[in-house]
Amino acid sequence: MSQHTRVLIIGSGPSGLTAAIYSARAQLSPIVIEGEPSSTTDQPGGQLMVTTEVENFPGFPDGIMGPELMANMRAQALRFGARMEVTKVQKLDLGQRPFRAWLTDDVEPSITADTVIIATGARSLMLDVPGEARLLSHGLSTCATCDGFFFRGHDIAVVGGGDSALEEAIFLTRFANTVTLVHRRDSLRASKIMQDRALANPKIRFAWNSQVTEVLGDEKVSGLALRDTLTGDSRVLDVTGVFIAIGHVPNTDIVAEHLERHDNGYIVTGPGSFTSVDGVFAAGDVQDHEYRQAITSAGSGCMAAIDAERWLEAQGM
Amino acid sequence: MSDTIKTLTDATFQEVVKSSELPILVDFWAEWCGPCKQIAPILEELAAEQSDKFVIGKLDVDVNVATATQYNVMSIPTLLLFKDGEIVARLVGAKPKGALLQEITQNL
């Protein structure tokens, strides 16, 4: 038997949970499909689950830990009656109403929904070079907060040039002897405050104009093969740990065939959180490659919940 | 925290693992590891539901560095499955309950 809901929210990062808080307070008893445990950003709570201190979320003058912020948002959604499910949507049909979602391999859909809010976020990109898959969790990590501890006294590298790369590099200096930031360009994308902190940190070094061509090592990481993007010269950076923070791709697999997307894969929204399918809304990083902040994500989740509520009213539902 | 999961330390690890009659799954975890917290309730459930097939222990890597180093744990959560004192499986990273149980069961 399918369970029917007026609002189905897929994803449980800041956008999904904010949408859940608003929809639940509007008495719409939303169902939230939270995702499944993993050690990547693709887990209940999303990207903030693998970060440390969040310093720029309004209302927390002393900062708050990412996982704690997400636990708070979840508790707040539960308080107003949101229904949470720790699982993933296997298949979604947005081609007919009510919309249909499958959580299992059954023929019958698990959930039918009058509106759907897509809040599936974005996941970290990997380097896609030789050695990477083999050495994952043997010195190569995607979670600095989980694994930084094991690199006490090591010389390690962070690959990337954005805010997340610098945040990881600064965090890892608590443990590592040196952290070399490997970046393809000769300047950073990261915000001024993060750049200033990284540049002032005596443990952080920079490998500019450097592209990773291979992760080296037999059973454990022993180095990174780098190519100079200007001269083409190759060299080896001797490190025993590598952390990857080179950017994100939106999680659009389940909606790819239904919703209009930009060339870079992000879902097209507007006005507000409306997508190309009437009754389907999108919020957070799955539709935002510009700002990608916890607060903008939460804000767009609020927009999606209000848009869905008004849409239901307009339909007389 | 239930007492179905044994807390192991550097001092007790070898003794407990070698003397365990059933296969023992050891969860290498730490307080600051988000994914570790996600699988903690799953492991509690498995410990209760599968108590006739295997037992579960946990080792806090923060205060038991020697054992973590000895077993080359460089990423947590890492779950090591021991049978007769020997490692028979190494599971790295948080996973859903079904996937964890399947990987454990096929190595029992």
Side-chain angles (χ1 to χ4, degrees):
Chain A
M1 261 302 279
S2 308
Q3 186 179 10
H4 185 76
T5 183
R6 301 181 75 190
V7 181
L8 173 63
I9 298 167
I10 305 174
S12 61
S15 60
L17 291 180
T18 304
I21 292 167
Y22 273 77
S23 304
R25 282 194 82 243
Q27 310 286 327
L28 293 169
S29 336
I31 294 179
V32 183
I33 307 302
E34 292 185 85
E36 287 178 340
S38 87
S39 288
T40 68
T41 59
D42 183 14
Q43 60 168 296
Q47 294 172 55
L48 286 183
M49 297 301 288
V50 294
T51 63
T52 49
E53 187 104 28
V54 179
E55 292 182 328
N56 53 12
F57 201 90
F60 300 93
D62 300 321
I64 182 168
M65 299 304 279
E68 192 186 348
L69 179 62
M70 297 321 298
N72 288 351
M73 286 191 198
R74 187 176 190 275
Q76 198 171 348
L78 282 172
R79 180 184 153 204
F80 296 111
R83 293 171 285 170
M84 303 282 187
E85 299 226 23
V86 180
T87 184
K88 278 189 160 184
V89 172
Q90 305 293 336
K91 196 172 80 168
L92 191 62
D93 182 2
L94 303 177
Q96 63 176 70
R97 291 194 216 153
F99 305 115
R100 302 183 297 166
W102 284 261
L103 306 179
T104 64
D105 299 333
D106 288 354
V107 179
E108 282 288 300
S110 319
I111 297 171
T112 57
D114 295 328
T115 62
V116 178
I117 295 174
I118 308 292
T120 45
R123 64 179 181 277
S124 307
L125 279 167
M126 297 298 285
L127 291 167
D128 199 18
V129 297
E132 179 179 53
R134 184 166 46 85
L135 293 163
L136 184 63
S137 79
H138 296 284
L140 186 137
S141 172
T142 54
C143 181
T145 54
C146 304
D147 301 339
F149 171 81
F150 297 105
F151 297 89
R152 208 175 283 274
H154 288 227
D155 294 307
I156 65 176
V158 171
V159 185
D163 271 346
S164 4
L166 292 199
E167 190 200 321
E168 289 205 352
I170 293 164
F171 171 74
L172 289 165
T173 59
R174 294 188 202 178
F175 310 102
N177 183 35
T178 65
V179 178
T180 302
L181 196 89
V182 178
H183 189 43
R184 281 183 305 177
R185 289 176 248 279
D186 61 1
S187 62
L188 299 166
R189 291 189 310 272
S191 60
K192 183 79 169 54
I193 183 170
M194 296 302 284
Q195 291 203 29
D196 289 349
R197 281 188 201 169
L199 292 165
N201 191 311
K203 283 186 168 184
I204 297 182
R205 298 162 181 196
F206 294 86
W208 302 109
N209 301 312
S210 299
Q211 184 162 21
V212 177
T213 52
E214 185 175 353
V215 183
L216 306 170
D218 293 327
E219 294 188 343
K220 286 184 188 180
V221 169
S222 64
L224 280 179
L226 303 181
R227 185 173 58 221
D228 189 303
T229 56
L230 300 179
T231 64
D233 293 345
S234 297
R235 70 177 178 112
V236 170
L237 179 68
D238 290 322
V239 287
T240 48
V242 177
F243 291 80
I244 314 278
I246 53 171
H248 300 89
V249 280
N251 296 317
T252 54
D253 291 353
I254 54 166
V255 296
E257 59 178 301
H258 299 288
L259 300 183
E260 188 187 337
R261 293 184 297 152
H262 292 287
D263 290 341
N264 58 11
Y266 288 78
I267 295 173
V268 174
T269 50
S273 66
F274 282 78
T275 68
S276 57
V277 173
D278 208 23
V280 178
F281 307 86
D285 285 12
V286 74
Q287 52 86 55
D288 170 24
H289 52 89
E290 189 70 34
Y291 303 104
R292 302 188 301 107
Q293 303 300 302
I295 187 66
T296 50
S297 175
S300 69
C302 163
M303 288 162 59
I306 292 175
D307 286 343
E309 185 186 353
R310 292 185 182 158
W311 185 88
L312 284 167
E313 276 169 19
Q315 307 290 313
M317 293 171 93
Chain B
M1 196 58 60
S2 89
D3 47 7
T4 47
I5 294 187
K6 290 179 192 172
T7 298
L8 308 185
T9 67
D10 279 346
T12 62
F13 188 86
Q14 291 301 333
E15 165 82 35
V16 174
V17 166
K18 290 213 165 96
S19 66
S20 180
E21 286 181 15
L22 286 170
I24 177 167
L25 182 78
V26 183
D27 172 25
F28 289 75
W29 72 288
E31 185 57 41
W32 32 260
C33 160
C36 299
K37 288 189 180 156
Q38 289 192 5
I39 63 164
I42 297 176
L43 293 175
E44 295 268 333
E45 288 172 24
L46 289 178
E49 292 162 11
Q50 305 288 326
S51 59
D52 56 330
K53 299 197 184 70
F54 58 89
V55 293
I56 300 183
K58 59 176 184 170
L59 181 106
D60 183 349
V61 299
D62 223 352
V63 288
N64 299 289
V65 180
T67 307
T69 308
Q70 182 188 343
Y71 289 99
N72 269 326
V73 172
M74 295 180 81
S75 184
I76 53 173
T78 284
L79 302 171
L80 296 183
L81 182 64
F82 292 85
K83 228 165 126 175
D84 305 320
E86 302 288 327
I87 296 184
V88 292
R90 174 185 282 264
L91 284 57
V92 181
K95 295 185 180 75
K97 185 177 176 184
L100 275 181
L101 181 59
Q102 190 185 358
E103 289 196 39
I104 296 164
T105 309
Q106 69 192 20
N107 286 292
L108 285 177

